Amino acid sequence: MKGVLLVNLGSPDSTDPKDVKKYLDEFLMDPRVIDVPFWLRSFIVRGIILNTRPKKSAEAYQKIWWDEGSPLIVISERLQKKIQEKTTVPVALAMRYGSMTLKKGLQELVDQGVDEVLTIPLYPQFAMATTETIDVKVEELKKEFFPQLEITSLPAFYNKPEYIEVLSRSIAESLEGVDYEHLLFSYHGVPERHIYKRDITKRHCKIDGSCCITPSPAHEFCYRHQCLKTTALVAEKLNLKPGTYSNAFQSRLGFDPWLKPPTDRTIERLGLEGTKKMAIVTPAFVSDCLETLEEIAMEGQEIFHEAGGQEFTVIPCLNDRDDWAEVLTGWIDHWRIVDVKTAIA
Ligand SMILES: C=CC1=C(C)c2cc3[nH]c(cc4nc(cc5[nH]c(cc1n2)c(C)c5CCC(=O)O)C(CCC(=O)O)=C4C)c(C)c3C=C
Ligand SMILES: [Fe+2]
Ligand SMILES: [Fe+2]
């Protein structure tokens, strides 16, 4: 029997700094998130970051936490329930980090008689720190605990027409009747090194003005290309005029070069240059979370106002929109009947 495992990033168990520390330790010690040798990662994470960040992050989580728990988890659960109502195959939910483990999610499916699993990393664009780490962990778990399972992973869907349609519609709906001068597409950042490491041609990606818009097999695993492509397709669909929208990358951590331009500086620049009304959308996240509700909706808004801006419209993530649940159900049903390669072809 076939079954589906939806996978998102995860959150701490609570906003207590102890829980945040435990979560950050697991997250940042992942060699696909901080991709340096173990001794150096240990030194950076356990020797430096975990001494100060948990308290600061816990305060940020406290500002956005809901009565039911972490927004990212609550929203993912709502999405799972909606999809389950629309399809006959069992649908489970797991997180890459934290208590809702991938192992528990796979076990839940096995307990229902599933022997063929489709994992759906809930990230539109491929990154080492997101899609890849899920796929690798699932493979490890299969080897150790679930050798009987046949497991397939849904690839990144950054350019799939159904996804672009729903994302564009959600943006259009949020901006209906809103007067704005600039729409900023803010994606989660990654270190530039992650892009070079996953260039399968070993020479295409230069992170310059042209590599990401010049066709190449490297794009299958190029996070930057995939982000720029999502924006370009949405801009085409919504008929956005050149100069009225741009891309930026948020949430930088550490001192390595990360993808540019940074979201906070871009918001500030727009304000300082005289933009009074801006809107912002965060397509690297399918569920609202700390990075959208606090870093963008709170900090971003403050930066814009301090720089002279007046109206800052934040477009919600797709969350558990009906049309988004329909798209995922469509991909699942296609896989159930045919296969995953053509499911989102
Ligand atoms: C080296 C550090 C990080 C990389 C690389 C990274 C990539 C990355 N992350 C997301 C999605 C999310 N990240 C979230 C929180 C978060 N991310 C990092 C660091 C890196 N992320 C940290 C330290 C944190 C924790 C919060 C903090 O202390 O600031 C979240 C929110 C989780 C929640 O509970 O709400 C998401 C979602 C993507 C998509 C990505 C690469 C493309
Ligand atoms: Fe992150
Ligand atoms: Fe590129």
Side-chain angles (χ1 to χ4, degrees):
M1 184 168 74
K2 290 185 168 185
V4 171
L5 187 63
L6 300 174
V7 188
N8 209 337
L9 184 100
S11 291
D13 286 342
S14 79
T15 61
D16 187 312
K18 273 200 211 100
D19 285 336
V20 175
K21 186 172 184 176
K22 187 169 159 227
Y23 166 77
L24 287 179
D25 184 54
E26 185 191 359
F27 182 11
L28 298 176
M29 284 304 290
D30 181 335
R32 285 179 173 74
V33 176
I34 298 192
D35 56 321
V36 294
F38 177 81
W39 67 267
L40 183 56
R41 189 165 58 252
S42 263
F43 174 72
I44 296 171
V45 175
R46 295 179 172 154
I48 303 171
I49 300 178
L50 293 184
N51 288 329
T52 52
R53 188 141 190 133
K55 189 169 171 282
K56 209 173 135 242
S57 293
E59 281 163 11
Y61 272 112
Q62 279 155 24
K63 292 189 208 159
I64 58 115
W65 209 255
W66 292 347
D67 289 344
E68 309 99 291
S70 146
L72 178 137
I73 291 181
V74 174
I75 290 165
S76 305
E77 285 168 344
R78 289 179 190 162
L79 180 66
Q80 176 216 352
K81 283 197 188 92
K82 268 202 183 160
I83 297 172
Q84 188 63 90
E85 281 162 17
K86 294 174 195 287
T87 185
T88 51
V89 300
V91 180
L93 172 69
M95 298 290 151
R96 174 62 184 84
Y97 311 104
S99 310
M100 291 174 67
T101 62
L102 288 164
K103 189 178 171 199
K104 284 187 202 161
L106 289 171
Q107 189 60 54
E108 198 183 313
L109 291 173
V110 168
D111 292 345
Q112 293 177 74
V114 167
D115 54 14
E116 217 182 309
V117 178
L118 173 67
T119 57
I120 304 189
L122 288 168
Y123 303 104
Q125 299 83 18
F126 169 91
M128 247 169 78
T130 55
T131 322
E132 186 179 293
T133 182
I134 291 171
D135 292 348
V136 168
K137 183 76 188 176
V138 164
E139 200 45 45
E140 281 169 19
L141 289 166
K142 171 181 153 71
K143 274 205 189 107
E144 199 174 344
F145 303 104
F146 308 102
Q148 78 283 14
L149 285 182
E150 197 183 302
I151 305 182
T152 319
S153 177
L154 190 90
F157 45 84
Y158 67 100
N159 58 353
K160 299 302 164 209
E162 305 87 344
Y163 163 70
I164 295 297
E165 173 84 39
V166 169
L167 177 60
S168 304
R169 193 181 304 135
S170 80
I171 296 171
E173 281 173 16
S174 296
L175 295 181
E176 211 181 302
V178 174
D179 188 18
Y180 70 95
E181 296 149 72
H182 195 90
L183 172 60
L184 186 63
F185 289 75
S186 176
Y187 295 87
H188 198 300
V190 296
E192 290 183 353
R193 191 180 55 249
H194 288 202
I195 307 290
Y196 296 127
K197 272 193 171 170
R198 286 301 169 265
D199 176 359
I200 53 171
T201 71
K202 294 287 165 224
R203 62 198 151 80
H204 179 78
C205 290
K206 293 171 195 71
I207 315 196
D208 57 13
S210 67
C211 67
C212 285
I213 50 170
T214 307
S216 167
H219 292 165
E220 191 182 347
F221 301 108
C222 177
Y223 178 72
R224 182 170 178 268
H225 162 79
Q226 298 191 2
C227 294
L228 303 191
K229 190 72 188 175
T230 298
T231 298
L233 291 169
V234 170
E236 196 184 335
K237 184 137 250 155
L238 295 179
N239 204 11
L240 301 179
K241 303 278 167 289
T244 64
Y245 67 93
S246 60
N247 293 300
F249 296 91
Q250 64 182 84
S251 319
R252 181 171 167 221
L253 182 75
F255 299 101
D256 297 325
W258 277 48
L259 292 180
K260 294 180 195 63
T263 296
D264 50 0
R265 294 279 149 261
T266 306
I267 294 173
E268 185 181 36
R269 181 182 56 75
L270 285 166
L272 292 174
E273 285 175 1
T275 302
K276 295 290 171 217
K277 298 170 184 183
M278 70 171 285
I280 188 161
V281 62
T282 47
F285 308 93
V286 299
S287 332
D288 275 305
C289 60
L290 186 71
E291 313 298 86
T292 62
L293 300 170
E294 200 270 341
E295 187 178 346
I296 297 298
M298 295 179 185
E299 280 182 36
Q301 164 147 258
E302 201 178 312
I303 294 170
F304 189 55
H305 287 158
E306 277 171 10
Q310 288 167 0
E311 283 173 34
F312 188 80
T313 304
V314 181
I315 297 164
C317 293
L318 297 179
N319 293 332
D320 65 338
R321 284 175 65 99
D322 279 337
D323 51 3
W324 173 226
E326 286 287 347
V327 166
L328 287 165
T329 310
W331 291 339
I332 291 167
D333 283 342
H334 193 106
W335 165 75
R336 183 170 59 84
I337 297 160
V338 193
D339 61 59
V340 73
K341 282 206 181 71
T342 53
I344 63 167

